[in-house]
Amino acid sequence: MLLTISTTHTPATDLGFLLHKHPDNVRTVSFPFGDAHVFFPEAGDDRCTAALLVEVDPVGLVRRRGGRGGRNGGGAESFSLAGYVNDRPYAASSLLSVVLGKVFGTAMAGRCDQRPGLADQALPVEVEIPVLPCRGGEAVLRSLFEPLGYDVASERVGLDDRFPDWGDSRYLSVRLGGTVRLADLLAHLYVLLPVLDDDKHYWVGDDEARKLMDKGGGWLADHPARDLITRRYLRHRRSLAEGVLAQLAEDDPDEPGAADEEHDREEGQVETPLGLDRQRLDAVVEVLVAAGAARVLDLGCGEGRLVRALLDQPGVEQVTGVDVSPRALERAAARLRLDRLPERQRGRVALLHGSLTYRDSRFAGFDAAALVEVVEHLDPPRVAALEQVVFAHAGPPTVVLTTPNREHNVRFGGVPAGSLRHRDHRFEWTRAELAAWAQRVADDHGYAVRLAPIGAEDPEVGPPTQMAVFSR
Ligand code: SAH
């Protein structure tokens, strides 16, 4: 498998700094499926080309599967000839994406310590992949790369040059041209090569969904082929693909799941007469202040109302808001006037794009985490992921969570019996349901939990909002 990246940026040898590879050297990295070599066939001031050559060992690939399971099933089937005679050695595929992630990981993360600023610059680039399996042919190839601003050229690869009559193979020889940050180019290739191949050759797990969110976070949400990309990328795990799509959809006002003003309007129509928003905020701030939390993580921060309120508390040193919706984060930044805050105040706030259902090292080291009206936006199967991320991995001493009390909905004139307060709520818990979940989570992760009402408590159906405060 071969992939080359060229640039005509001057000096073109900056490419070596960006990729963290010296143009004079050949770098070889071993993988379980073969060796990857990085070298520079040309390295002049006007044009520089980096080549990534992956020598796949198809027999080793099969043997390492140990004849148990694997793509060919078990037993006698694992001796299928296809395991030994296949296109892996030369067709660019998901293996190439694995190699890119490892060999150019720092470049993909946009880091270039030796030439600060260079990593942020869009450079003229040309990518060539002489043999690329493209399911769906040139049309799919174009639909993936053109919306990202690339010029796409491709030719069908003949089955065998010596026998033109045999016709074309299912491979394309591909050329992409564009002006792009190198980190973005690598992320695009990392996600889209397996999508074109549509055949993952290694385990697709939760971690893969995380990788897709990481690498695709900035550009995938608006990509017209977003659904195809996500489904194919995560093809073996449909539910995972749907989880990621649901999160990307949080950005899209045309789909259910939109985190836009409408959310506030709809829920506000139901709840405003009670001033419930204010009461909720006050209750959460009170809990956090009482806990003496200096560093607070607001998960699902939306437009940053809690972040704003916490900045007014002298005991709170730092607040980090996290949301899956870039649009919500933009609004939060505007509401907080981040660009106009004095330096000292500015240092107290961070807004991060991320998801509370994916383990994230940025969530560590806080005194408290808040989840205000967020849990009900997750698909029920993803609540277990939230539990792991918040209580097992981040594990701050205090966690405060608020969520609607479904029993109370009958008291809201506008909510038909049995339905939820907002179309993006995936579920709403009764008091007993929240109590059972919270107690189980507390027991499993070494917390104590107390429950408290928010808003006027109705003798029959309880308060409109309920809160769980976990501490350890
Ligand atoms: N806590 C805020 C916003 C509540 S609305 C407030 O009380 O005002 C729910 C928010 O959760 C939305 O902004 C939505 O984008 C966000 N959200 C939904 N799923 C998420 C996820 N998996 N990770 C992070 N944020 C999420």
Side-chain angles (χ1 to χ4, degrees):
M1 299 190 285
L2 180 67
L3 172 144
T4 61
I5 300 174
S6 307
T7 184
T8 50
H9 159 86
T10 34
T13 43
D14 273 353
L15 187 62
F17 287 107
L18 276 168
L19 292 173
H20 296 256
K21 303 283 174 284
H22 197 291
D24 290 346
N25 299 339
V26 176
R27 199 42 220 295
T28 298
V29 182
S30 289
F31 289 85
F33 46 78
D35 287 341
H37 313 282
V38 182
F39 54 98
F40 289 74
E42 60 179 332
D45 277 348
D46 301 333
R47 190 180 162 90
C48 180
T49 299
L52 176 62
L53 176 72
V54 184
E55 290 184 300
V56 176
D57 166 14
V59 176
L61 204 57
V62 173
R63 292 225 175 101
R64 240 161 246 116
R65 282 203 190 105
R68 283 197 325 263
R71 278 169 71 223
N72 297 328
E77 265 184 305
S78 54
F79 287 98
S80 137
L81 195 58
Y84 294 88
V85 183
N86 61 36
D87 64 4
R88 289 304 130 217
Y90 55 87
S93 75
S94 59
L95 296 180
L96 189 51
S97 162
V98 175
V99 172
L100 279 173
K102 171 98 187 190
V103 175
F104 296 142
T106 314
M108 207 181 291
R111 280 201 18 229
C112 183
D113 297 341
Q114 293 191 38
R115 286 273 194 288
L118 191 59
D120 295 329
Q121 223 176 308
L123 311 177
V125 292
E126 211 174 85
V127 175
E128 287 190 48
I129 309 169
V131 186
L132 185 67
C134 280
R135 225 181 113 202
E138 189 173 335
V140 169
L141 176 74
R142 284 185 186 283
S143 78
L144 297 184
F145 284 98
E146 283 180 348
L148 297 168
Y150 294 95
D151 294 324
V152 178
S154 74
E155 271 171 48
R156 294 211 78 94
V157 176
L159 258 185
D160 190 318
D161 289 346
R162 294 163 302 173
F163 305 103
D165 297 352
W166 287 10
D168 291 333
S169 69
R170 67 186 181 95
Y171 305 104
L172 296 180
S173 164
V174 172
R175 232 155 106 179
L176 307 170
T179 303
V180 57
R181 285 173 64 228
L182 196 74
D184 291 338
L185 167 69
L186 292 170
H188 295 155
L189 294 171
Y190 178 87
V191 171
L192 298 179
L193 292 181
V195 168
L196 281 164
D197 192 3
D198 198 17
D199 191 4
K200 291 219 97 176
H201 305 285
Y202 59 101
W203 173 242
V204 177
D206 234 10
D207 187 41
E208 282 304 294
R210 174 67 216 274
K211 281 187 209 159
L212 184 58
M213 287 291 288
D214 272 359
K215 303 285 186 299
W219 50 273
L220 190 50
D222 296 327
H223 197 296
R226 176 182 82 188
D227 289 12
L228 175 101
I229 294 170
T230 313
R231 291 238 159 68
R232 280 194 180 183
Y233 189 86
L234 303 173
R235 70 193 287 262
H236 295 312
R237 293 280 297 270
R238 214 183 153 76
S239 61
L240 267 184
E242 256 132 42
V244 172
L245 277 175
Q247 293 184 17
L248 294 170
E250 302 280 346
D251 291 338
D252 191 337
D254 299 329
E255 293 188 35
D260 52 13
E261 289 103 349
E262 204 164 337
H263 176 273
D264 299 341
R265 246 197 338 268
E266 273 186 38
E267 204 165 330
Q269 275 164 6
V270 178
E271 296 184 341
T272 304
L274 307 170
L276 198 51
D277 234 9
R278 190 71 245 168
Q279 295 182 50
R280 197 154 42 213
L281 212 57
D282 290 348
V284 172
V285 170
E286 197 184 308
V287 166
L288 294 170
V289 169
R295 292 172 47 79
V296 180
L297 183 63
D298 182 9
L299 293 166
C301 64
E303 299 182 7
R305 275 182 287 235
L306 178 62
V307 175
R308 168 76 267 158
L310 287 171
L311 288 176
D312 291 339
Q313 298 297 325
V316 174
E317 288 161 16
Q318 211 277 333
V319 189
T320 296
V322 176
D323 207 285
V324 76
S325 156
R327 198 170 314 181
L329 291 171
E330 269 167 33
R331 284 209 209 98
R335 170 188 283 260
L336 294 164
R337 295 172 199 265
L338 278 193
D339 51 340
R340 282 191 252 153
L341 279 185
E343 190 79 12
R344 205 183 55 81
Q345 287 290 70
R346 178 74 192 79
R348 290 174 71 206
V349 197
L351 294 175
L352 303 178
H353 185 218
S355 169
L356 54 89
T357 54
Y358 293 100
R359 186 177 171 167
D360 195 322
S361 55
R362 297 173 301 174
F363 300 167
F366 287 89
D367 302 316
L371 293 98
V372 179
E373 306 296 285
V374 176
V375 65
E376 66 275 8
H377 289 262
L378 302 181
D379 282 325
R382 303 301 293 155
V383 176
L386 168 155
E387 179 189 332
Q388 288 305 311
V389 169
V390 175
F391 294 92
H393 298 307
T398 301
V399 178
V400 50
L401 175 149
T402 74
T403 192
N405 163 23
R406 192 177 74 221
E407 294 162 87
H408 198 96
N409 290 357
V410 294
R411 295 287 184 265
F412 294 123
V415 180
S419 61
L420 308 178
R421 286 180 209 181
H422 181 263
R423 67 194 159 90
D424 190 39
H425 289 181
R426 309 297 159 96
F427 64 89
E428 284 170 358
W429 274 324
T430 62
R431 282 168 294 172
E433 283 165 344
L434 171 64
W437 179 80
Q439 193 57 56
R440 209 261 311 137
V441 167
D443 291 346
D444 285 357
H445 301 281
Y447 283 80
V449 64
R450 83 181 161 84
L451 298 163
I454 296 178
E457 207 163 356
D458 181 290
E460 228 176 287
V461 296
T465 300
Q466 41 184 350
M467 173 166 72
V469 181
F470 301 82
S471 43
R472 71 165 165 202

